[in-house]
Amino acid sequence: MTVDDLARGVGAWLRGEGPLGDVVISSRIRLARNLKEYHFLPKADEAQRKEIHRTLTERIAATRLGDDTFFVDIDESSDLDRQVLVERHLISQQHASSDGSRGVAISAGESRALMINEEDHLRIQVLGSGLQLSKLWTEIDEIDNILEAEVEYAFDPRLGYLTACPTNVGTGIRVSVMLHLPGLSMIQQMQKLMRAAKDMRLAVRGLYGEGTEALGDFYQLSNQTTLGKTEAEIISDFETTIIPKIVEFEHGARETLARDHASQLDDKVYRAYSVLGNARIMGTGESLTLLSHLRMGLFMGRFADLDVNTVNEMFLHSQPAHLQKISGSIMEGAERGVARADYLRRRIASRN
Amino acid sequence: MTVDDLARGVGAWLRGEGPLGDVVISSRIRLARNLKEYHFLPKADEAQRKEIHRTLTERIAATRLGDDTFFVDIDESSDLDRQVLVERHLISQQHASSDGSRGVAISAGESRALMINEEDHLRIQVLGSGLQLSKLWTEIDEIDNILEAEVEYAFDPRLGYLTACPTNVGTGIRVSVMLHLPGLSMIQQMQKLMRAAKDMRLAVRGLYGEGTEALGDFYQLSNQTTLGKTEAEIISDFETTIIPKIVEFEHGARETLARDHASQLDDKVYRAYSVLGNARIMGTGESLTLLSHLRMGLFMGRFADLDVNTVNEMFLHSQPAHLQKISGSIMEGAERGVARADYLRRRIASRN
């Protein structure tokens, strides 16, 4: 398996088939871990980074987390390969653009990704379609236990797991959920939701994590505290209270739209469909917005000409790095705009 | 013939079949005339206005300018009927919204329109498709002569025809040409053309005349001086020099676009087509812009799914008053947006 093979497919977790999949794109849990015998990365020199990278690669390989797990050496990867991994949410932008020995282990289906030498020595990440945090928690806890049998983690009996950044100390857990909230956005309720999220000490981010805009009405919601709550509590809060409540708000917004603003709703949906199928030049921002409207239309039953898998594939493959990877050539922005429109037009023409 | 009948059709002069019709939508000549025996309108009371209106109506009817000429009493018309006439360029906005006894005589095919009691007692107007000013001059001169045999015009041997506003004194002629210049607009050359027009003492106006924006890249070019030049000179300047030169510029711009910016060009054309055929809500400004792009695409051979008559009909019938007239109901702005999108969608679906 290579990044090339990866780029052509669609990760299992992006199938849009999970619980509450009309609103919850995906669930993600990550654990931050560090090896006791090495300095935290800000203090490690390149020789130590290399040793950490080598050690963790060996141990992960030994555990057979999945037979098809494959390793990517990020430092030796091309810029394009790194960006493909960022666009698939398998590594962070920081991991792609930093320096030094570092890597990622990716399972088949892309539901597990273990970053080595990102901010911490190890970042274990599991991804799933829709809202399924307790299932992911069982999975990641098992991976964590398997690895803990192989390596000694930096752990303090009082504080819990020690991490490079104090905000991660404790459980070292981050729970995050990618939400698609076009309904709340259309009825102008996002500001209100943002304020409520802040009150609950949740972080709200855009499609590509920290510092990115909420393009296409996609929002990543995640916990901010890792200290003072057990993993089970954090996950239960998300899965049984916070996310179902937001989903309920979004469903309410969509019902309002369908009942009172059917023309505005269909206007967005059908413009999106027709422009995606006919434009000759298209930027990333516009394609995300239009695909977002199309996805909303599909799940609301306003539109049946495409299936959700096709839309998800278009989301993934119209991103800059994927576009270049699939076309097999490096392209400037203007050239990509034409290639993106070509890809989307062909994909819609050959739909389902 | 009534305004209702009128609204459902498309004036012969808008067929887009005249000389240089890819760039020159239409040609128009109007003459300003006043009856010697009455005050100019700013000084006339309502009784005199009524008498002027009645006298001119009788004389025009007597000359049989065309058997199917029909008269509309503007003061007694509904707001909607007045706006339909404005949208068809048969009367001015000023004529629609002012007060007092006034009217218009319209020939079958709408190629002649004589406004009574607008700014002057009489405004004779002839319209034609494409660039055909000398033909129109022959026509309007004949009408003018026929009427001059029936009434006595206010005329000064030294100054020429006397008019309510000094800018029209002399020949009382205004020559204007409606141009479609999407190419020059796309390659950002309109400012340059505007400056050149100003140097030549030409007025450049938008689709609906004085004070209106250049929506959809439509520009009305007209002479500003009526004194010191003969009608023949003014017309010849327009027909053999000024307009052909601008058409040449526009053709050059279109060639540049097709050669060097084919994607940008087709992007505009195909987005226009798909959005017009799929939107559920559309404002006047957007529909004009999109129809403009479609018209450009048709004449440039980028696109063959519609014929130019269908596009012209859509231009006319998607305007606010026409939309309401044809649907048979008075609608608010938001309602019109939905009705406009419905009309355009149906018209494209049932094309040719």
Side-chain angles (χ1 to χ4, degrees), chain A residues 263-264 266-267 270-271 273-275 278-282 286 338 341, chain B residues 262-264 266-267 270-271 273-275 278-282 286 338:
Chain A
S263 293
Q264 282 90 327
D266 286 339
D267 192 54
Y270 284 89
R271 278 175 185 253
Y273 180 56
S274 63
V275 171
N278 287 282
R280 262 53 178 177
I281 298 176
M282 191 171 296
E286 186 185 12
V338 174
Chain B
S263 293
Q264 281 91 326
D266 286 339
D267 191 53
Y270 284 90
R271 279 175 185 253
Y273 180 56
S274 64
V275 172
N278 287 281
R280 262 56 178 175
I281 298 176
M282 191 172 294
E286 187 185 12
V338 173

PDB file of all heavy atoms in Angstrom, chain A residues 263-264 266-267 270-271 273-275 278-282 286 338 341, chain B residues 262-264 266-267 270-271 273-275 278-282 286 338:
ATOM      1  N   SER A 263     -38.246  26.914  -1.346  1.00  0.00           N
ATOM      2  CA  SER A 263     -37.611  27.470  -2.545  1.00  0.00           C
ATOM      3  C   SER A 263     -36.147  27.806  -2.294  1.00  0.00           C
ATOM      4  O   SER A 263     -35.284  27.487  -3.115  1.00  0.00           O
ATOM      5  CB  SER A 263     -38.335  28.729  -3.013  1.00  0.00           C
ATOM      6  OG  SER A 263     -39.619  28.403  -3.478  1.00  0.00           O
ATOM      7  N   GLN A 264     -35.857  28.453  -1.160  1.00  0.00           N
ATOM      8  CA  GLN A 264     -34.463  28.794  -0.832  1.00  0.00           C
ATOM      9  C   GLN A 264     -33.618  27.522  -0.730  1.00  0.00           C
ATOM     10  O   GLN A 264     -32.478  27.480  -1.182  1.00  0.00           O
ATOM     11  CB  GLN A 264     -34.351  29.531   0.514  1.00  0.00           C
ATOM     12  CG  GLN A 264     -34.736  31.001   0.453  1.00  0.00           C
ATOM     13  CD  GLN A 264     -36.208  31.234   0.724  1.00  0.00           C
ATOM     14  OE1 GLN A 264     -37.059  30.400   0.382  1.00  0.00           O
ATOM     15  NE2 GLN A 264     -36.517  32.365   1.320  1.00  0.00           N
ATOM     16  N   ASP A 266     -34.233  24.422  -2.106  1.00  0.00           N
ATOM     17  CA  ASP A 266     -34.023  23.790  -3.406  1.00  0.00           C
ATOM     18  C   ASP A 266     -33.156  24.657  -4.311  1.00  0.00           C
ATOM     19  O   ASP A 266     -32.424  24.141  -5.152  1.00  0.00           O
ATOM     20  CB  ASP A 266     -35.368  23.491  -4.074  1.00  0.00           C
ATOM     21  CG  ASP A 266     -36.050  22.300  -3.399  1.00  0.00           C
ATOM     22  OD1 ASP A 266     -35.341  21.514  -2.747  1.00  0.00           O
ATOM     23  OD2 ASP A 266     -37.276  22.166  -3.523  1.00  0.00           O
ATOM     24  N   ASP A 267     -33.256  25.972  -4.141  1.00  0.00           N
ATOM     25  CA  ASP A 267     -32.398  26.858  -4.921  1.00  0.00           C
ATOM     26  C   ASP A 267     -30.932  26.506  -4.661  1.00  0.00           C
ATOM     27  O   ASP A 267     -30.145  26.339  -5.595  1.00  0.00           O
ATOM     28  CB  ASP A 267     -32.672  28.313  -4.539  1.00  0.00           C
ATOM     29  CG  ASP A 267     -32.028  29.294  -5.501  1.00  0.00           C
ATOM     30  OD1 ASP A 267     -32.268  29.176  -6.713  1.00  0.00           O
ATOM     31  OD2 ASP A 267     -31.278  30.174  -5.037  1.00  0.00           O
ATOM     32  N   TYR A 270     -30.178  22.781  -6.092  1.00  0.00           N
ATOM     33  CA  TYR A 270     -30.144  22.610  -7.546  1.00  0.00           C
ATOM     34  C   TYR A 270     -29.100  23.490  -8.230  1.00  0.00           C
ATOM     35  O   TYR A 270     -28.550  23.127  -9.254  1.00  0.00           O
ATOM     36  CB  TYR A 270     -31.542  22.798  -8.140  1.00  0.00           C
ATOM     37  CG  TYR A 270     -32.375  21.571  -7.881  1.00  0.00           C
ATOM     38  CD1 TYR A 270     -33.133  21.462  -6.721  1.00  0.00           C
ATOM     39  CD2 TYR A 270     -32.337  20.481  -8.756  1.00  0.00           C
ATOM     40  CE1 TYR A 270     -33.863  20.313  -6.443  1.00  0.00           C
ATOM     41  CE2 TYR A 270     -33.066  19.334  -8.492  1.00  0.00           C
ATOM     42  CZ  TYR A 270     -33.828  19.251  -7.337  1.00  0.00           C
ATOM     43  OH  TYR A 270     -34.531  18.111  -7.079  1.00  0.00           O
ATOM     44  N   ARG A 271     -28.845  24.649  -7.641  1.00  0.00           N
ATOM     45  CA  ARG A 271     -27.734  25.447  -8.167  1.00  0.00           C
ATOM     46  C   ARG A 271     -26.440  24.681  -7.974  1.00  0.00           C
ATOM     47  O   ARG A 271     -25.586  24.631  -8.858  1.00  0.00           O
ATOM     48  CB  ARG A 271     -27.613  26.784  -7.426  1.00  0.00           C
ATOM     49  CG  ARG A 271     -28.558  27.840  -7.930  1.00  0.00           C
ATOM     50  CD  ARG A 271     -28.449  29.083  -7.058  1.00  0.00           C
ATOM     51  NE  ARG A 271     -29.426  30.060  -7.453  1.00  0.00           N
ATOM     52  CZ  ARG A 271     -29.152  31.189  -8.110  1.00  0.00           C
ATOM     53  NH1 ARG A 271     -27.917  31.491  -8.419  1.00  0.00           N
ATOM     54  NH2 ARG A 271     -30.104  32.017  -8.450  1.00  0.00           N
ATOM     55  N   TYR A 273     -25.917  21.457  -7.720  1.00  0.00           N
ATOM     56  CA  TYR A 273     -25.835  20.324  -8.640  1.00  0.00           C
ATOM     57  C   TYR A 273     -25.488  20.781 -10.056  1.00  0.00           C
ATOM     58  O   TYR A 273     -24.605  20.223 -10.710  1.00  0.00           O
ATOM     59  CB  TYR A 273     -27.171  19.582  -8.631  1.00  0.00           C
ATOM     60  CG  TYR A 273     -27.199  18.392  -9.548  1.00  0.00           C
ATOM     61  CD1 TYR A 273     -26.253  17.383  -9.428  1.00  0.00           C
ATOM     62  CD2 TYR A 273     -28.174  18.268 -10.537  1.00  0.00           C
ATOM     63  CE1 TYR A 273     -26.272  16.286 -10.266  1.00  0.00           C
ATOM     64  CE2 TYR A 273     -28.207  17.176 -11.375  1.00  0.00           C
ATOM     65  CZ  TYR A 273     -27.253  16.185 -11.245  1.00  0.00           C
ATOM     66  OH  TYR A 273     -27.271  15.106 -12.084  1.00  0.00           O
ATOM     67  N   SER A 274     -26.182  21.824 -10.515  1.00  0.00           N
ATOM     68  CA  SER A 274     -25.982  22.232 -11.895  1.00  0.00           C
ATOM     69  C   SER A 274     -24.617  22.880 -12.105  1.00  0.00           C
ATOM     70  O   SER A 274     -23.960  22.646 -13.121  1.00  0.00           O
ATOM     71  CB  SER A 274     -27.111  23.160 -12.354  1.00  0.00           C
ATOM     72  OG  SER A 274     -27.118  24.356 -11.610  1.00  0.00           O
ATOM     73  N   VAL A 275     -24.166  23.663 -11.132  1.00  0.00           N
ATOM     74  CA  VAL A 275     -22.864  24.314 -11.289  1.00  0.00           C
ATOM     75  C   VAL A 275     -21.740  23.273 -11.197  1.00  0.00           C
ATOM     76  O   VAL A 275     -20.801  23.292 -11.986  1.00  0.00           O
ATOM     77  CB  VAL A 275     -22.678  25.463 -10.272  1.00  0.00           C
ATOM     78  CG1 VAL A 275     -21.255  25.999 -10.293  1.00  0.00           C
ATOM     79  CG2 VAL A 275     -23.655  26.591 -10.582  1.00  0.00           C
ATOM     80  N   ASN A 278     -21.379  21.630 -14.486  1.00  0.00           N
ATOM     81  CA  ASN A 278     -21.197  22.435 -15.688  1.00  0.00           C
ATOM     82  C   ASN A 278     -20.060  23.449 -15.673  1.00  0.00           C
ATOM     83  O   ASN A 278     -19.673  23.926 -16.732  1.00  0.00           O
ATOM     84  CB  ASN A 278     -22.488  23.196 -16.001  1.00  0.00           C
ATOM     85  CG  ASN A 278     -23.562  22.281 -16.545  1.00  0.00           C
ATOM     86  OD1 ASN A 278     -23.533  21.913 -17.710  1.00  0.00           O
ATOM     87  ND2 ASN A 278     -24.484  21.871 -15.691  1.00  0.00           N
ATOM     88  N   ALA A 279     -19.561  23.793 -14.487  1.00  0.00           N
ATOM     89  CA  ALA A 279     -18.521  24.823 -14.431  1.00  0.00           C
ATOM     90  C   ALA A 279     -17.260  24.343 -15.148  1.00  0.00           C
ATOM     91  O   ALA A 279     -17.031  23.148 -15.299  1.00  0.00           O
ATOM     92  CB  ALA A 279     -18.211  25.177 -12.986  1.00  0.00           C
ATOM     93  N   ARG A 280     -16.467  25.291 -15.593  1.00  0.00           N
ATOM     94  CA  ARG A 280     -15.190  24.991 -16.259  1.00  0.00           C
ATOM     95  C   ARG A 280     -14.004  25.392 -15.401  1.00  0.00           C
ATOM     96  O   ARG A 280     -12.866  25.064 -15.719  1.00  0.00           O
ATOM     97  CB  ARG A 280     -15.127  25.729 -17.592  1.00  0.00           C
ATOM     98  CG  ARG A 280     -15.509  24.909 -18.814  1.00  0.00           C
ATOM     99  CD  ARG A 280     -16.834  24.237 -18.717  1.00  0.00           C
ATOM    100  NE  ARG A 280     -17.176  23.512 -19.938  1.00  0.00           N
ATOM    101  CZ  ARG A 280     -18.271  22.782 -20.081  1.00  0.00           C
ATOM    102  NH1 ARG A 280     -19.123  22.654 -19.080  1.00  0.00           N
ATOM    103  NH2 ARG A 280     -18.523  22.148 -21.215  1.00  0.00           N
ATOM    104  N   ILE A 281     -14.252  26.149 -14.356  1.00  0.00           N
ATOM    105  CA  ILE A 281     -13.213  26.572 -13.417  1.00  0.00           C
ATOM    106  C   ILE A 281     -13.856  26.564 -12.029  1.00  0.00           C
ATOM    107  O   ILE A 281     -14.952  27.097 -11.863  1.00  0.00           O
ATOM    108  CB  ILE A 281     -12.722  28.006 -13.720  1.00  0.00           C
ATOM    109  CG1 ILE A 281     -12.082  28.075 -15.110  1.00  0.00           C
ATOM    110  CG2 ILE A 281     -11.722  28.471 -12.658  1.00  0.00           C
ATOM    111  CD1 ILE A 281     -11.651  29.479 -15.513  1.00  0.00           C
ATOM    112  N   MET A 282     -13.175  25.975 -11.061  1.00  0.00           N
ATOM    113  CA  MET A 282     -13.731  25.999  -9.712  1.00  0.00           C
ATOM    114  C   MET A 282     -12.655  25.913  -8.636  1.00  0.00           C
ATOM    115  O   MET A 282     -11.787  25.057  -8.680  1.00  0.00           O
ATOM    116  CB  MET A 282     -14.731  24.863  -9.525  1.00  0.00           C
ATOM    117  CG  MET A 282     -15.514  25.019  -8.233  1.00  0.00           C
ATOM    118  SD  MET A 282     -16.860  23.861  -8.072  1.00  0.00           S
ATOM    119  CE  MET A 282     -17.880  24.389  -9.443  1.00  0.00           C
ATOM    120  N   GLU A 286     -15.334  27.078  -3.259  1.00  0.00           N
ATOM    121  CA  GLU A 286     -16.638  26.956  -3.901  1.00  0.00           C
ATOM    122  C   GLU A 286     -17.065  25.498  -3.999  1.00  0.00           C
ATOM    123  O   GLU A 286     -18.228  25.172  -3.752  1.00  0.00           O
ATOM    124  CB  GLU A 286     -16.630  27.594  -5.304  1.00  0.00           C
ATOM    125  CG  GLU A 286     -18.032  27.598  -5.909  1.00  0.00           C
ATOM    126  CD  GLU A 286     -18.096  28.102  -7.344  1.00  0.00           C
ATOM    127  OE1 GLU A 286     -17.034  28.250  -7.982  1.00  0.00           O
ATOM    128  OE2 GLU A 286     -19.222  28.332  -7.821  1.00  0.00           O
ATOM    129  N   VAL A 338      -9.198  24.538 -13.192  1.00  0.00           N
ATOM    130  CA  VAL A 338      -9.735  23.901 -14.399  1.00  0.00           C
ATOM    131  C   VAL A 338      -9.830  22.386 -14.187  1.00  0.00           C
ATOM    132  O   VAL A 338     -10.852  21.763 -14.507  1.00  0.00           O
ATOM    133  CB  VAL A 338      -8.846  24.225 -15.626  1.00  0.00           C
ATOM    134  CG1 VAL A 338      -9.308  23.446 -16.854  1.00  0.00           C
ATOM    135  CG2 VAL A 338      -8.863  25.731 -15.908  1.00  0.00           C
ATOM    136  N   ALA A 341     -12.773  21.490 -11.894  1.00  0.00           N
ATOM    137  CA  ALA A 341     -14.061  21.574 -12.593  1.00  0.00           C
ATOM    138  C   ALA A 341     -14.218  20.384 -13.544  1.00  0.00           C
ATOM    139  O   ALA A 341     -15.292  19.778 -13.621  1.00  0.00           O
ATOM    140  CB  ALA A 341     -14.164  22.896 -13.345  1.00  0.00           C
TER     141      ALA A 341
ATOM    142  N   ALA B 262     -10.209  30.281 -22.945  1.00  0.00           N
ATOM    143  CA  ALA B 262     -11.378  29.464 -23.293  1.00  0.00           C
ATOM    144  C   ALA B 262     -12.088  28.916 -22.056  1.00  0.00           C
ATOM    145  O   ALA B 262     -13.317  28.865 -22.015  1.00  0.00           O
ATOM    146  CB  ALA B 262     -10.959  28.330 -24.224  1.00  0.00           C
ATOM    147  N   SER B 263     -11.317  28.549 -21.037  1.00  0.00           N
ATOM    148  CA  SER B 263     -11.950  27.986 -19.831  1.00  0.00           C
ATOM    149  C   SER B 263     -12.793  29.031 -19.113  1.00  0.00           C
ATOM    150  O   SER B 263     -13.921  28.758 -18.702  1.00  0.00           O
ATOM    151  CB  SER B 263     -10.903  27.448 -18.857  1.00  0.00           C
ATOM    152  OG  SER B 263     -10.266  26.334 -19.408  1.00  0.00           O
ATOM    153  N   GLN B 264     -12.235  30.243 -18.963  1.00  0.00           N
ATOM    154  CA  GLN B 264     -12.985  31.319 -18.305  1.00  0.00           C
ATOM    155  C   GLN B 264     -14.283  31.614 -19.070  1.00  0.00           C
ATOM    156  O   GLN B 264     -15.336  31.835 -18.476  1.00  0.00           O
ATOM    157  CB  GLN B 264     -12.169  32.617 -18.217  1.00  0.00           C
ATOM    158  CG  GLN B 264     -11.136  32.631 -17.104  1.00  0.00           C
ATOM    159  CD  GLN B 264      -9.787  32.130 -17.565  1.00  0.00           C
ATOM    160  OE1 GLN B 264      -9.697  31.236 -18.422  1.00  0.00           O
ATOM    161  NE2 GLN B 264      -8.725  32.678 -17.005  1.00  0.00           N
ATOM    162  N   ASP B 266     -15.955  29.583 -21.280  1.00  0.00           N
ATOM    163  CA  ASP B 266     -16.937  28.504 -21.167  1.00  0.00           C
ATOM    164  C   ASP B 266     -17.473  28.375 -19.750  1.00  0.00           C
ATOM    165  O   ASP B 266     -18.620  27.979 -19.553  1.00  0.00           O
ATOM    166  CB  ASP B 266     -16.320  27.181 -21.635  1.00  0.00           C
ATOM    167  CG  ASP B 266     -16.186  27.157 -23.154  1.00  0.00           C
ATOM    168  OD1 ASP B 266     -16.898  27.939 -23.819  1.00  0.00           O
ATOM    169  OD2 ASP B 266     -15.376  26.373 -23.670  1.00  0.00           O
ATOM    170  N   ASP B 267     -16.642  28.712 -18.778  1.00  0.00           N
ATOM    171  CA  ASP B 267     -17.110  28.681 -17.392  1.00  0.00           C
ATOM    172  C   ASP B 267     -18.316  29.608 -17.232  1.00  0.00           C
ATOM    173  O   ASP B 267     -19.341  29.223 -16.687  1.00  0.00           O
ATOM    174  CB  ASP B 267     -15.971  29.117 -16.463  1.00  0.00           C
ATOM    175  CG  ASP B 267     -16.287  28.850 -15.005  1.00  0.00           C
ATOM    176  OD1 ASP B 267     -16.629  27.698 -14.670  1.00  0.00           O
ATOM    177  OD2 ASP B 267     -16.198  29.781 -14.190  1.00  0.00           O
ATOM    178  N   TYR B 270     -21.398  28.156 -19.446  1.00  0.00           N
ATOM    179  CA  TYR B 270     -22.059  26.942 -18.956  1.00  0.00           C
ATOM    180  C   TYR B 270     -22.633  27.093 -17.557  1.00  0.00           C
ATOM    181  O   TYR B 270     -23.632  26.472 -17.222  1.00  0.00           O
ATOM    182  CB  TYR B 270     -21.117  25.742 -19.072  1.00  0.00           C
ATOM    183  CG  TYR B 270     -21.042  25.284 -20.504  1.00  0.00           C
ATOM    184  CD1 TYR B 270     -20.097  25.808 -21.387  1.00  0.00           C
ATOM    185  CD2 TYR B 270     -21.978  24.387 -21.007  1.00  0.00           C
ATOM    186  CE1 TYR B 270     -20.060  25.430 -22.712  1.00  0.00           C
ATOM    187  CE2 TYR B 270     -21.957  23.998 -22.333  1.00  0.00           C
ATOM    188  CZ  TYR B 270     -20.988  24.524 -23.185  1.00  0.00           C
ATOM    189  OH  TYR B 270     -20.977  24.148 -24.503  1.00  0.00           O
ATOM    190  N   ARG B 271     -22.000  27.924 -16.743  1.00  0.00           N
ATOM    191  CA  ARG B 271     -22.621  28.230 -15.452  1.00  0.00           C
ATOM    192  C   ARG B 271     -23.946  28.939 -15.685  1.00  0.00           C
ATOM    193  O   ARG B 271     -24.947  28.639 -15.039  1.00  0.00           O
ATOM    194  CB  ARG B 271     -21.718  29.147 -14.613  1.00  0.00           C
ATOM    195  CG  ARG B 271     -20.618  28.419 -13.882  1.00  0.00           C
ATOM    196  CD  ARG B 271     -19.717  29.430 -13.178  1.00  0.00           C
ATOM    197  NE  ARG B 271     -18.595  28.777 -12.560  1.00  0.00           N
ATOM    198  CZ  ARG B 271     -18.455  28.597 -11.246  1.00  0.00           C
ATOM    199  NH1 ARG B 271     -19.358  29.053 -10.422  1.00  0.00           N
ATOM    200  NH2 ARG B 271     -17.405  27.972 -10.768  1.00  0.00           N
ATOM    201  N   TYR B 273     -25.953  28.839 -18.262  1.00  0.00           N
ATOM    202  CA  TYR B 273     -26.960  27.914 -18.785  1.00  0.00           C
ATOM    203  C   TYR B 273     -27.506  27.008 -17.681  1.00  0.00           C
ATOM    204  O   TYR B 273     -28.716  26.839 -17.534  1.00  0.00           O
ATOM    205  CB  TYR B 273     -26.343  27.084 -19.900  1.00  0.00           C
ATOM    206  CG  TYR B 273     -27.295  26.085 -20.505  1.00  0.00           C
ATOM    207  CD1 TYR B 273     -28.514  26.493 -21.028  1.00  0.00           C
ATOM    208  CD2 TYR B 273     -26.977  24.734 -20.547  1.00  0.00           C
ATOM    209  CE1 TYR B 273     -29.397  25.585 -21.587  1.00  0.00           C
ATOM    210  CE2 TYR B 273     -27.846  23.823 -21.101  1.00  0.00           C
ATOM    211  CZ  TYR B 273     -29.063  24.241 -21.623  1.00  0.00           C
ATOM    212  OH  TYR B 273     -29.923  23.334 -22.166  1.00  0.00           O
ATOM    213  N   SER B 274     -26.604  26.450 -16.884  1.00  0.00           N
ATOM    214  CA  SER B 274     -27.049  25.485 -15.881  1.00  0.00           C
ATOM    215  C   SER B 274     -27.817  26.163 -14.751  1.00  0.00           C
ATOM    216  O   SER B 274     -28.816  25.637 -14.273  1.00  0.00           O
ATOM    217  CB  SER B 274     -25.867  24.669 -15.357  1.00  0.00           C
ATOM    218  OG  SER B 274     -24.956  25.493 -14.683  1.00  0.00           O
ATOM    219  N   VAL B 275     -27.376  27.341 -14.348  1.00  0.00           N
ATOM    220  CA  VAL B 275     -28.081  28.027 -13.257  1.00  0.00           C
ATOM    221  C   VAL B 275     -29.453  28.516 -13.732  1.00  0.00           C
ATOM    222  O   VAL B 275     -30.452  28.365 -13.035  1.00  0.00           O
ATOM    223  CB  VAL B 275     -27.234  29.177 -12.668  1.00  0.00           C
ATOM    224  CG1 VAL B 275     -28.042  30.008 -11.683  1.00  0.00           C
ATOM    225  CG2 VAL B 275     -25.999  28.611 -11.963  1.00  0.00           C
ATOM    226  N   ASN B 278     -31.827  25.705 -13.571  1.00  0.00           N
ATOM    227  CA  ASN B 278     -31.983  24.950 -12.328  1.00  0.00           C
ATOM    228  C   ASN B 278     -32.297  25.752 -11.079  1.00  0.00           C
ATOM    229  O   ASN B 278     -32.727  25.170 -10.091  1.00  0.00           O
ATOM    230  CB  ASN B 278     -30.708  24.142 -12.050  1.00  0.00           C
ATOM    231  CG  ASN B 278     -30.588  22.952 -12.983  1.00  0.00           C
ATOM    232  OD1 ASN B 278     -31.233  21.942 -12.779  1.00  0.00           O
ATOM    233  ND2 ASN B 278     -29.786  23.093 -14.037  1.00  0.00           N
ATOM    234  N   ALA B 279     -32.051  27.058 -11.103  1.00  0.00           N
ATOM    235  CA  ALA B 279     -32.271  27.848  -9.890  1.00  0.00           C
ATOM    236  C   ALA B 279     -33.750  27.837  -9.514  1.00  0.00           C
ATOM    237  O   ALA B 279     -34.618  27.628 -10.368  1.00  0.00           O
ATOM    238  CB  ALA B 279     -31.782  29.276 -10.088  1.00  0.00           C
ATOM    239  N   ARG B 280     -34.027  28.062  -8.247  1.00  0.00           N
ATOM    240  CA  ARG B 280     -35.407  28.132  -7.741  1.00  0.00           C
ATOM    241  C   ARG B 280     -35.777  29.543  -7.329  1.00  0.00           C
ATOM    242  O   ARG B 280     -36.932  29.833  -7.046  1.00  0.00           O
ATOM    243  CB  ARG B 280     -35.561  27.194  -6.549  1.00  0.00           C
ATOM    244  CG  ARG B 280     -36.169  25.830  -6.872  1.00  0.00           C
ATOM    245  CD  ARG B 280     -35.444  25.072  -7.922  1.00  0.00           C
ATOM    246  NE  ARG B 280     -36.024  23.758  -8.158  1.00  0.00           N
ATOM    247  CZ  ARG B 280     -35.625  22.930  -9.111  1.00  0.00           C
ATOM    248  NH1 ARG B 280     -34.658  23.282  -9.936  1.00  0.00           N
ATOM    249  NH2 ARG B 280     -36.187  21.754  -9.275  1.00  0.00           N
ATOM    250  N   ILE B 281     -34.775  30.409  -7.236  1.00  0.00           N
ATOM    251  CA  ILE B 281     -34.995  31.814  -6.901  1.00  0.00           C
ATOM    252  C   ILE B 281     -34.006  32.627  -7.725  1.00  0.00           C
ATOM    253  O   ILE B 281     -32.825  32.269  -7.776  1.00  0.00           O
ATOM    254  CB  ILE B 281     -34.725  32.098  -5.401  1.00  0.00           C
ATOM    255  CG1 ILE B 281     -35.679  31.291  -4.512  1.00  0.00           C
ATOM    256  CG2 ILE B 281     -34.848  33.592  -5.094  1.00  0.00           C
ATOM    257  CD1 ILE B 281     -35.405  31.453  -3.027  1.00  0.00           C
ATOM    258  N   MET B 282     -34.485  33.695  -8.377  1.00  0.00           N
ATOM    259  CA  MET B 282     -33.536  34.514  -9.125  1.00  0.00           C
ATOM    260  C   MET B 282     -33.994  35.959  -9.237  1.00  0.00           C
ATOM    261  O   MET B 282     -35.135  36.236  -9.583  1.00  0.00           O
ATOM    262  CB  MET B 282     -33.320  33.928 -10.520  1.00  0.00           C
ATOM    263  CG  MET B 282     -32.145  34.596 -11.214  1.00  0.00           C
ATOM    264  SD  MET B 282     -31.702  33.810 -12.755  1.00  0.00           S
ATOM    265  CE  MET B 282     -31.135  32.236 -12.141  1.00  0.00           C
ATOM    266  N   GLU B 286     -29.339  39.196 -11.552  1.00  0.00           N
ATOM    267  CA  GLU B 286     -28.655  37.942 -11.864  1.00  0.00           C
ATOM    268  C   GLU B 286     -29.141  37.367 -13.189  1.00  0.00           C
ATOM    269  O   GLU B 286     -28.343  36.902 -13.994  1.00  0.00           O
ATOM    270  CB  GLU B 286     -28.852  36.907 -10.746  1.00  0.00           C
ATOM    271  CG  GLU B 286     -28.004  35.664 -11.002  1.00  0.00           C
ATOM    272  CD  GLU B 286     -28.221  34.537 -10.001  1.00  0.00           C
ATOM    273  OE1 GLU B 286     -29.185  34.604  -9.217  1.00  0.00           O
ATOM    274  OE2 GLU B 286     -27.423  33.579 -10.029  1.00  0.00           O
ATOM    275  N   VAL B 338     -39.051  33.789  -7.178  1.00  0.00           N
ATOM    276  CA  VAL B 338     -39.432  32.385  -7.385  1.00  0.00           C
ATOM    277  C   VAL B 338     -40.085  32.231  -8.767  1.00  0.00           C
ATOM    278  O   VAL B 338     -39.758  31.304  -9.520  1.00  0.00           O
ATOM    279  CB  VAL B 338     -40.391  31.903  -6.261  1.00  0.00           C
ATOM    280  CG1 VAL B 338     -40.918  30.508  -6.566  1.00  0.00           C
ATOM    281  CG2 VAL B 338     -39.685  31.928  -4.908  1.00  0.00           C
TER     282      VAL B 338
END
